[in-house]
Amino acid sequence: IMYGRKEDRDMFEEAYTSIKQYMRRGRSECNKGVGLHPLYVNVAMDSGDTATNWIDSLQAAFPGVQVLHGDLEEAICHHALYYSIWRKYGCLPERYNWKLEAPDVKFYPLRPELIESTYLLYQATKNPFYLHVGKDILYSLNNHTRAECGYATVHDVDDMSLEDRQESFFLSETVKYLYLLFDLDNPINRKSNEYIFTTEGHILPLSERFHDS
């Protein structure tokens, strides 16, 4: 998207096709209800066999990538999986064992990935459901992680105990995407086709001057 190069698009298409072929598990169509959403698993490189029984919170960014690719229905279904986990705990455990339906790694360091995908889905669909998701996330952050000076990492999602730690990406990404989700008249939202976000939440202008002549 940034540079408009065909070879970049071809590499992405090849990678995305392989991901869908070898890493996707679940039903062929989206269904409502926990456990019925598509799941993307870690696989062995030489065989494509499932390698682990967990997914991690960083993967919640992938529905946003699917939005940008135009695979909107898959993005909606995939996002619903991570939101159902958020609803279960009030945040996303770092690793969630989909086989045991329980967290393997129980901390949540205020990561932005689910909020990022929520923002991109709202921009693509304008469905008010994603504003509801954002409000739910904001409520959880304010009621479970807010501290005397900032917001704190959740040490254990089962008891919502906290650590004296706030990662820098909370301000640069998590809060940024939440702000933009609700600031409907923000110039970035009104002219969203003129900007793109890096994986670290930096906002870059899209310009023909970045394209090959």
Side-chain angles (χ1 to χ4, degrees):
I1 295 173
M2 185 71 189
Y3 299 108
R5 293 173 182 160
K6 183 180 182 300
E7 58 266 31
D8 290 343
R9 177 62 180 253
D10 291 344
M11 285 190 291
F12 176 85
E13 292 282 4
E14 182 180 358
Y16 190 69
T17 299
S18 294
I19 288 169
K20 292 283 287 282
Q21 180 178 353
Y22 295 109
M23 302 177 72
R24 189 186 190 278
R25 303 290 187 270
R27 297 173 182 255
S28 58
E29 296 181 355
C30 180
N31 293 271
K32 295 181 179 179
V34 177
L36 300 179
H37 306 295
L39 185 74
Y40 288 81
V41 303
N42 299 309
V43 298
M45 291 294 290
D46 57 347
S47 65
D49 294 337
T50 302
T52 69
N53 295 329
W54 53 263
I55 53 178
D56 66 44
S57 60
L58 294 172
Q59 289 175 253
F62 196 55
V65 175
Q66 294 175 309
V67 170
L68 295 174
H69 181 48
D71 197 354
L72 195 55
E73 182 177 352
E74 183 78 356
I76 290 169
C77 299
H78 193 191
H79 173 274
L81 168 68
Y82 288 94
Y83 181 49
S84 70
I85 298 171
W86 183 285
R87 291 282 294 168
K88 184 176 181 179
Y89 296 100
C91 60
L92 278 183
E94 189 71 352
R95 286 185 181 177
Y96 183 77
N97 190 308
W98 45 265
K99 194 169 186 178
L100 299 177
E101 296 187 356
D104 278 349
V105 179
K106 296 185 176 183
F107 72 87
Y108 168 65
L110 306 172
R111 291 201 186 278
E113 281 74 18
L114 179 61
I115 296 92
E116 177 185 3
S117 290
T118 301
Y119 166 72
L120 291 171
L121 273 163
Y122 180 71
Q123 289 301 307
T125 67
K126 301 305 180 184
N127 189 327
F129 169 74
Y130 295 107
L131 296 178
H132 167 78
V133 173
K135 290 178 182 178
D136 196 16
I137 291 171
L138 186 59
Y139 178 88
S140 295
L141 292 173
N142 280 330
N143 283 274
H144 298 302
T145 72
R146 192 169 184 173
E148 183 178 354
C149 185
Y151 288 75
T153 289
V154 175
H155 177 71
D156 188 328
V157 299
D158 286 333
D159 60 20
M160 298 304 282
S161 54
L162 302 177
E163 299 179 13
D164 186 13
R165 177 164 61 101
Q166 177 186 293
E167 301 284 357
S168 61
F169 52 69
F170 176 70
L171 295 178
S172 63
E173 297 181 71
T174 307
V175 173
K176 181 187 293 179
Y177 285 117
L178 276 171
Y179 182 90
L180 288 173
L181 176 64
F182 296 111
D183 187 15
L184 305 183
D185 290 328
N186 191 284
I188 293 172
N189 291 332
R190 286 191 284 105
K191 298 181 179 181
S192 59
N193 61 335
E194 296 181 11
Y195 301 95
I196 194 166
F197 292 85
T198 71
T199 54
E200 300 301 320
H202 301 298
I203 302 167
L204 301 178
L206 292 175
S207 173
E208 288 295 327
R209 70 179 185 271
F210 298 132
H211 291 196
D212 294 332
S213 57

